[in-house]
Amino acid sequence: MLGLDMKICTHSSEVSTEEINQLSHLLADSISQGSSIGFLNPTPLTELSAFWRSEFEKLHHQSFIILARLDNLIVGTVIISREQRANGRHRAELRKLMVASTHQRKGIGSRLEQKACLHSQQQGITLLYLDSATDFLVAETYEKWGWTRVGSIPNYATDASGSLVATTYFYKEL
């Protein structure tokens, strides 16, 4: 997508208050669209801002958050959380891949996933994994992007409305 800027953040000092605000609104948008992303609808913006501040404070060696921006507006994001235990430092979890509802189906999610995989590989990560609500459209998307479906756990989490949903696990070797 022309004009899409990708910012990789590896430390809390690399994110502004305005970016936290934009990320909170992006998360609220994802929740309002029914994404099973760990929050119920509605969730107060103060709670969503606290989530983002916590995520940036938790960044550690070779974990990162990517912000996709168009004209200084954050329209997508993804978090990569690297395992810190000695036997798992080769792997990381891909989390909270979101694209604003007004910017979906424009390739932003694909660009975020590609950038996350490339930067992970440059950091020596050889395996990514994720979980996703089974009944949500992203399951097919991850397979299209080369992720391997491992299996599902029924009634694992609640969706944004509070209904129980299955969760499917995926991995991708880099």
Side-chain angles (χ1 to χ4, degrees), residues 1-5 70 75 103 106-108 111:
M1 171 173 246
L2 195 60
L4 187 67
D5 173 48
L70 277 174
V75 295
H103 289 80
K106 297 179 181 179
I108 295 170
R111 295 264 310 271

Side-chain angles (χ1 to χ4, degrees), residues 98-158:
M98 294 178 271
V99 175
S101 60
T102 55
H103 289 80
Q104 291 181 356
R105 308 247 181 250
K106 297 179 181 179
I108 295 170
S110 296
R111 295 264 310 271
L112 280 163
E113 189 269 351
Q114 290 167 1
K115 186 76 166 180
C117 289
L118 178 64
H119 193 71
S120 294
Q121 194 172 33
Q122 291 169 345
Q123 299 302 312
I125 295 168
T126 60
L127 179 71
L128 290 174
Y129 64 95
L130 65 86
D131 66 86
S132 175
T134 301
D135 293 332
F136 200 68
L137 295 174
V138 295
E140 294 173 9
T141 300
Y142 287 118
E143 289 174 327
K144 182 178 73 177
W145 290 341
W147 291 74
T148 301
R149 182 186 300 245
V150 177
S152 296
I153 301 173
N155 300 321
Y156 183 80
T158 59

Side-chain angles (χ1 to χ4, degrees), residues 6-112:
M6 298 278 197
K7 176 181 177 182
I8 298 174
C9 301
T10 59
H11 191 271
S12 61
S13 64
E14 297 172 330
V15 66
S16 69
T17 301
E18 175 57 26
E19 288 170 323
I20 292 288
N21 184 49
Q22 288 184 31
L23 286 164
S24 300
H25 283 278
L26 174 63
L27 182 52
D29 175 60
S30 293
I31 296 164
S32 73
Q33 297 300 311
S35 294
S36 178
I37 202 154
F39 296 89
L40 298 178
N41 191 28
T43 299
L45 277 176
T46 54
E47 189 176 324
L48 301 180
S49 294
F51 165 79
W52 282 111
R53 282 191 303 279
S54 172
E55 287 298 313
F56 279 96
E57 289 298 324
K58 290 188 298 187
L59 286 177
H60 50 72
H61 185 62
Q62 297 174 337
S63 289
F64 55 94
I65 299 173
I66 302 175
L67 311 179
R69 300 182 297 194
L70 277 174
D71 300 323
N72 292 319
L73 177 66
I74 296 173
V75 295
T77 190
V78 64
I79 301 170
I80 297 294
S81 298
R82 189 170 194 160
E83 176 62 54
Q84 292 302 293
R85 293 174 289 190
N87 73 338
R89 291 188 185 130
H90 65 287
R91 70 177 182 259
E93 183 178 11
L94 185 138
R95 304 174 39 240
K96 305 286 189 265
L97 175 59
M98 294 178 271
V99 175
S101 60
T102 55
H103 289 80
Q104 291 181 356
R105 308 247 181 250
K106 297 179 181 179
I108 295 170
S110 296
R111 295 264 310 271
L112 280 163

